[in-house]
Amino acid sequence: MKIRVGVLGATGAVGQRFVQLLSDHPYFEIAEVAASERSAGKHYKEAVAGKWILDFDIPAQIASMTVKECKPGLACKVVFSALDSSVAGPIEEDFAKAGYYVVSNSKNHRFDEDVPMLIPEVNSDHLGIIPVQQKKRGWKGFITVKPNCSLQSYLVALAPLHRKFGVKRAIVTTMQAVSGAGYPGVASLDILDNLVPYIGGEEEKSEKEPLKILGHIEGDRIVDAKGVKFSAHCNRVNIVDGHTATVSVEFERKPTREEIIASWDEFSGEPQELALPSAPKRAIVYRTEENRPQPRLDRMQDGGMGIVVGRLRPCNVFDYRFVCLSHNTIRGAAGGAVLIAELLHRKGMLQ
Ligand SMILES: NC(=O)c1ccc[n+]([C@@H]2O[C@H](COP(=O)([O-])OP(=O)(O)OC[C@H]3O[C@@H](n4cnc5c(N)ncnc54)[C@H](OP(=O)(O)O)[C@@H]3O)[C@@H](O)[C@H]2O)c1
């Protein structure tokens, strides 16, 4: 028996990815699709008419589903939230209060001290805060969140290095795809033949969220990692899918180049150990070619769940610099959330 899941915000850019990734999933089946009152009451196919952005046909069983409103009462146990952040906060809380297990892409609960913000390879131990969240809030359900799409690439690459050598400071420059802005997103006249050196709120998220993910549980809260500093420059670029980040990093104890590559090669987490269906076989793929990773060539590594790193070299200012890439709507959004739910299931937390 598969676990029945619902997708909140199922009609948007990330919601569509959920529909794709869950359409033939070994643990989960989509039982409900929900969105705004503009879409509610329509068949899913009708609600996404003119705004379907994937090169994948809408699965027949989903196309004919009626889109519901985002209110508890949906016939499922788990809800994936791909809601616009202007509305996600209270809606997700209503679901958790009503006993649903919520896995969210939105930013609203990322800094709640009792809500785990997960990259399963890096901090699956933060799931230990969930009983505290349920007790404190009197909820039968719970909320887990995934971080911003910008940091899925560079933080996975930095995490094993931080554990061994201590990251002191890192400067990260992201080049983020247009699909990261949702649909219709950035106007074509703003982005064609252009680069926009500003994404509202993104630099703050890219600097703060890593500290929580690298942090630890202390009593009834998750506390930030100390002594690590990030500085981020976030740019919107003329790429459809795939966020690239260049990183310059300084360590407490400077490793050799070989130690860094060995740390990436050896790195694996619970998703690999449990062979979760969406887990990339290797948590990090290091490419040796001097001109990789590139979005068009590397974003679909391991079905879009891979983290691809390259160009590790000395830095004239810090210790080392390198480039990383991940698919923003798969690994950085829907796929990352599905991986969290797979982990929850295998840990017996979706009973
Ligand atoms: N795109 C990415 O790469 C990415 C990555 C990581 C995280 N995220 C986050 O994921 C969330 C979704 O992003 P997106 O890019 O998919 O956005 P999007 O394309 O704009 O989709 C937004 C979704 O929210 C629904 N919605 C809007 N107002 C609503 C309301 N009042 N009540 C219920 N539903 C409502 C929309 O339904 P209608 O179609 O009915 O309007 C649509 O399904 C955002 O919080 C975003 O920050 C996005």
Side-chain angles (χ1 to χ4, degrees):
M1 282 283 281
K2 291 191 185 181
I3 298 170
R4 293 165 65 86
V5 303
V7 181
L8 310 178
T11 51
V14 175
Q16 293 177 22
R17 277 288 178 204
F18 274 119
V19 167
Q20 177 188 21
L21 298 176
L22 294 166
S23 65
D24 185 23
H25 192 281
Y27 303 164
F28 307 121
E29 65 175 326
I30 297 184
E32 300 275 17
V33 284
S36 78
E37 53 189 23
R38 294 178 288 277
S39 306
K42 295 180 182 167
H43 283 155
Y44 184 73
K45 190 177 174 179
E46 218 185 309
V48 294
K51 57 177 184 177
W52 182 257
I53 56 170
L54 302 182
D55 54 359
F56 169 86
D57 283 343
I58 306 170
Q61 74 278 19
I62 310 290
S64 58
M65 277 185 180
T66 300
V67 178
K68 306 267 179 73
E69 285 188 52
C70 294
K71 290 184 184 152
L74 302 183
C76 57
K77 191 185 235 182
V78 177
V79 292
F80 291 102
S81 169
L83 285 168
D84 192 276
S85 58
S86 61
V87 295
I91 294 178
E92 291 171 359
E93 285 177 25
D94 286 348
F95 275 92
K97 214 177 289 173
Y100 294 82
Y101 306 125
V102 179
V103 184
S104 175
N105 276 273
S106 299
K107 65 179 182 186
N108 308 64
H109 294 289
R110 288 190 192 147
F111 290 106
D112 294 6
E113 291 175 335
D114 57 353
V115 172
M117 174 159 53
L118 296 166
I119 299 179
E121 283 88 346
V122 176
N123 64 335
S124 58
D125 58 311
H126 288 194
L127 284 174
I129 202 74
I130 284 188
V132 175
Q133 181 194 123
Q134 291 178 308
K135 191 166 170 217
K136 235 177 169 175
R137 305 192 189 214
W139 289 350
K140 281 208 259 29
F142 57 70
I143 298 179
T144 59
V145 296
K146 52 159 292 305
N148 190 256
C149 48
S150 67
L151 51 95
Q152 237 83 184
S153 57
Y154 64 85
L155 193 60
V156 178
L158 284 172
L161 307 183
H162 180 62
R163 281 180 201 153
K164 286 189 182 168
F165 314 111
V167 170
K168 254 165 80 177
R169 309 188 279 173
I171 295 184
V172 178
T173 301
T174 66
M175 286 146 280
Q176 302 187 204
V178 287
S179 62
Y183 188 83
V186 192
S188 56
L189 276 179
D190 289 337
I191 197 69
L192 288 174
D193 186 30
N194 206 11
L195 174 153
V196 183
Y198 173 72
I199 307 175
E202 205 78 349
E203 291 178 349
E204 294 76 3
K205 288 185 247 175
S206 305
E207 291 169 355
K208 266 184 76 184
E209 292 182 13
L211 305 184
K212 178 170 178 183
I213 294 165
L214 296 176
H216 62 278
I217 297 177
E218 210 171 277
D220 61 354
R221 61 202 181 103
I222 298 168
V223 295
D224 284 356
K226 302 272 184 311
V228 197
K229 267 191 180 162
F230 286 85
S231 173
H233 305 254
C234 295
N235 305 286
R236 186 71 70 199
V237 296
N238 192 0
I239 299 284
V240 174
D241 287 319
H243 288 355
T244 306
T246 59
V247 180
S248 288
V249 56
E250 183 181 42
F251 296 99
E252 298 284 348
R253 177 177 87 71
K254 184 177 173 181
T256 63
R257 191 173 180 278
E258 291 66 36
E259 284 178 308
I260 294 182
I261 293 184
S263 304
W264 286 336
D265 284 346
E266 288 158 10
F267 182 55
S268 84
E270 283 199 271
Q272 285 72 34
E273 282 144 30
L274 295 169
L276 298 179
S278 302
K281 286 208 171 49
R282 284 159 61 199
I284 295 171
V285 172
Y286 182 75
R287 298 217 51 131
T288 53
E289 303 91 326
E290 62 189 9
N291 62 352
R292 302 284 279 273
Q294 294 181 22
R296 234 178 34 209
L297 302 182
D298 296 307
R299 62 192 167 206
M300 288 311 292
Q301 175 74 40
D302 289 295
M305 290 297 287
I307 311 292
V308 188
V309 183
R311 299 210 66 218
L312 175 66
R313 61 215 191 277
C315 173
N316 291 336
V317 179
F318 288 176
D319 292 332
Y320 287 97
R321 48 192 158 160
F322 57 87
V323 186
C324 18
L325 172 91
S326 71
H327 195 300
N328 55 296
T329 64
I330 303 182
R331 179 64 192 217
V338 171
L339 188 64
I340 293 172
E342 290 170 357
L343 181 66
L344 289 165
H345 171 56
R346 290 289 295 279
K347 284 178 162 293
M349 297 176 76
L350 300 181
Q351 304 296 334

